[in-house]
Amino acid sequence: MTADQAGPVADTPYGAVRGRHERGVAVFRGIPYAAPPFGPRRFRPPEPPEPWDGVRDAGSFGPTAPKPPYSEAFARYLSDPVVPGDDCLNLNIWTPEPGPGARLPVLVWLHGGALTRGSSAVPVYDGHAFARDGVVLVSVNYRLGVEGYGLFPDTPANPGLRDQLAALRWVHTAIAAFGGDPDRITLAGQSAGAISIGALIAAPQAQGLVRRAVLQSGPPEVVERDKVRRMVRRMATRLKVPATAEGFAAVDRDLLLRTQAEVGRLSSPVLGGPAFGLVVDGDVVPRGPLEALTEGGAARDVDLLLGWTRDEYRLWLVPGGLMDHVDRLGPVALAGAMARCHCGPEVPRGYRALNPKARTAEVVGQLVTDHLLRRPLHRLADARPGTSYVYEFAWPSNLPDLGACHALELGFVFDTGDIPESRKLAGEGGPQGLSDVMHAAWVRFVATGDPGWQAWDDSHPVRILGDGEPHTAHGPRDAELALWTAGNGAHGSPPVDGTPATRGTELASAVRRLRRTMAARLH
């Protein structure tokens, strides 16, 4: 790396880039790792960028992937800036600005947003604190929604995941020029970003590229191919085009986004519904990532840091007043949650026994949180051969009803809690001491593989951050998780009141009713 009066300069495989000096670190933004995924490349796997002559300016964030805006209910809590342009397969780097011989640990960040929203330009993800503390931070944009995760007969599946793999390969090849060590790369992500990381560390093409991984609030998972096909078919019907990549590529981009938002109104982490997600494709995802990691020996040498927040579900239910509405629906909401989680009534009854004062919305929320996050992450930590560390973020937001909700922890991870975008979730006066603890744990894990507490073993140690002094509880959620084992029976078919036909009709009706209600209130 060299420097001149205009800023630091570094070489990449496709040309030199000039960044900026900011608060004692060097920052490079908007570096292309792949060609713009439009025109003949639309819906296709990523291709290398065109090389450039001279020194390319890397002072500003590059274009963000096409995406619909958050609904007004969610935009109150979450920021999602838009940078126009086609060259959206780009990344950003924060580094202490050493020379190529520094070989510092590297953290590659994949943002969340349900694979339909988000970007590396979200201010909460500013990498200054990591660079300040000796870590090279790389944040990545990738294709979203139907552009990145639509399933078509005339193009390979999972192009958004393939974008992330291309970015990871770029980092492995180029990061030494920015002071990073290609042999000490940690992949980290939250929500959809964590789900992506589960697939990447299990992918045959990524073996040997990653030393460590952080999965925050997202387990390794795939969705049924038909679930994604239903999204594509419904969009195709509205657009009056064939359900093919060629047909969709002919559609105006803004119209495509509006249609995607309309069709996706009934999607919800709580009750499911047609949605975009990773699918088994026989290539990058040859089998379910959780099975590959727990039974297939994939990533056996990759250290894992696994985390969740105590009240994940509150970000899904508080916007639009859905907590109160779920309480009013009562048995209908519980029936929908049981259908979503494939369990019988003894499971929610067990939750009530453990928490007698819990509202219906709290029972539904914790039930779904355990189903989506805690159970698969417990299974991953239990069954894999490598070393894992587990934590729970437990500090409740200063804003009403949010509790320790989904995404609240990110301002503490990045030590960006003092910016307005973090305060949208945390409120005023978030504890800096908790930021110091949580950020330091991530830095230590990236640098050494040990965040500072007991590794997962048969005693199920979970580090609790934000509920008083940091401490280790042994299986704080084990009682809830045990209910699933008892409730689901030996063959996964829980006894439920009523005949199977009646029960199935009632549950399906309850799910549809609750989805429609949630969509109406959120949009």
Side-chain angles (χ1 to χ4, degrees):
M1 179 178 293
T2 62
D4 59 23
Q5 292 181 347
V9 175
D11 290 323
T12 81
Y14 304 100
V17 291
R18 177 181 289 110
R20 300 289 187 272
H21 295 290
E22 297 179 6
R23 294 183 291 162
V25 304
V27 185
F28 299 80
R29 297 182 175 93
I31 304 173
Y33 65 85
F38 299 106
R41 303 186 187 94
R42 200 171 184 194
F43 297 101
R44 306 294 303 175
E47 298 179 10
E50 290 291 329
W52 58 88
D53 296 324
V55 180
R56 178 177 180 137
D57 184 72
S60 302
F61 285 114
T64 52
K67 55 190 173 178
Y70 280 116
S71 68
E72 184 178 348
F74 278 104
R76 175 182 174 186
Y77 300 106
L78 301 173
S79 298
D80 197 10
V82 173
V83 181
D86 286 351
D87 207 357
C88 62
L89 300 186
N90 58 72
L91 51 78
N92 319 294
I93 300 173
W94 285 258
T95 175
E97 202 192 343
R103 301 187 72 83
L104 293 169
V106 179
L107 177 63
V108 178
W109 173 252
L110 300 182
H111 67 81
L115 299 178
T116 58
R117 294 177 174 88
S119 79
S120 64
V122 173
V124 177
Y125 308 150
D126 185 279
H128 174 267
F130 279 102
R132 175 199 68 199
D133 295 331
V135 173
V136 178
L137 189 285
V138 183
S139 61
V140 177
N141 281 340
Y142 54 92
R143 278 175 284 181
L144 303 169
V146 71
E147 302 269 5
Y149 299 94
L151 188 57
F152 301 101
D154 52 338
T155 190
N158 300 317
L161 185 71
R162 295 170 191 269
D163 294 344
Q164 297 166 357
L165 179 59
L168 177 60
R169 287 170 168 161
W170 187 99
V171 171
H172 196 266
T173 300
I175 202 62
F178 297 85
D181 184 346
D183 295 325
R184 286 200 291 166
I185 293 174
T186 298
L187 265 179
Q190 183 263 351
S191 194
I195 292 170
S196 300
I197 288 169
L200 286 170
I201 62 175
Q205 297 90 333
Q207 301 306 297
L209 299 181
V210 178
R211 181 66 188 88
R212 302 180 181 100
V214 185
L215 280 71
Q216 168 65 42
S217 298
E221 68 176 19
V222 290
V223 301
E224 295 178 3
R225 292 173 69 91
D226 189 57
K227 188 173 185 178
V228 180
R229 284 197 187 101
R230 291 202 304 275
M231 279 287 288
V232 171
R233 286 196 296 263
R234 292 178 184 183
M235 290 183 66
T237 298
R238 290 186 179 225
L239 293 166
K240 299 180 180 179
V241 299
T244 62
E246 183 180 8
F248 273 55
V251 177
D252 172 78
R253 194 181 306 170
D254 290 338
L255 176 59
L256 197 65
L257 290 176
R258 289 196 302 271
T259 305
Q260 174 185 302
E262 292 168 1
V263 172
R265 290 173 69 244
L266 298 183
S267 300
S268 162
V270 177
L271 291 176
F276 294 113
L278 304 181
V279 298
V280 172
D281 59 17
D283 179 17
V284 179
V285 189
R287 63 187 298 193
L290 186 56
E291 287 70 32
L293 293 169
T294 57
E295 302 170 10
R300 62 172 57 248
D301 296 325
V302 175
D303 301 324
L304 295 185
L305 180 60
L306 311 174
W308 54 72
T309 71
R310 180 166 292 178
D311 306 307
E312 299 272 4
Y313 66 92
R314 288 182 177 269
L315 185 62
W316 308 329
L317 292 181
V318 168
L322 288 173
M323 289 285 288
D324 291 338
H325 197 74
V326 170
D327 283 341
R328 288 194 293 270
L329 287 172
V332 173
L334 281 174
M338 286 189 293
R340 176 78 169 99
C341 300
H342 312 292
C343 71
E346 47 280 294
V347 175
R349 281 201 297 265
Y351 278 62
R352 286 198 182 281
L354 290 169
N355 302 283
K357 297 182 180 179
R359 301 163 52 182
T360 297
E362 292 170 333
V363 173
V364 167
Q366 290 292 9
L367 184 70
V368 174
T369 298
D370 279 351
H371 173 69
L372 293 179
L373 295 174
R374 296 192 184 103
R375 290 178 67 210
L377 289 177
H378 268 249
R379 178 183 167 192
L380 177 61
D382 271 337
R384 69 181 302 266
T387 303
S388 300
Y389 298 86
V390 179
Y391 69 89
E392 176 176 276
F393 180 85
W395 180 77
S397 170
N398 286 325
L399 296 179
D401 299 323
L402 284 179
C405 69
H406 193 68
L408 176 63
E409 79 289 350
L410 296 176
F412 296 86
V413 168
F414 283 86
D415 194 11
T416 53
D418 59 344
I419 65 173
E421 292 80 6
S422 290
R423 293 197 295 270
K424 288 176 76 170
L425 270 181
E428 300 291 338
Q432 180 59 43
L434 179 57
S435 287
D436 296 341
V437 168
M438 192 154 189
H439 175 73
W442 277 50
V443 168
R444 180 171 172 174
F445 177 76
V446 172
T448 70
D450 180 354
W453 59 83
Q454 180 183 351
W456 188 265
D457 57 22
D458 290 342
S459 69
H460 290 186
V462 177
R463 191 69 167 173
I464 308 299
L465 302 172
D467 186 5
E469 288 297 314
H471 60 282
T472 299
H474 291 80
R477 296 292 180 187
D478 284 0
E480 287 94 332
L481 293 164
L483 291 170
W484 288 90
T485 304
N488 280 306
H491 303 289
S493 302
V496 189
D497 299 333
T499 65
T502 301
R503 181 171 68 250
T505 301
E506 291 174 348
L507 291 181
S509 176
V511 170
R512 288 194 296 269
R513 179 179 170 188
L514 190 51
R515 281 183 190 148
R516 288 194 298 268
T517 302
M518 292 176 71
R521 295 184 71 87
L522 288 175
H523 298 273

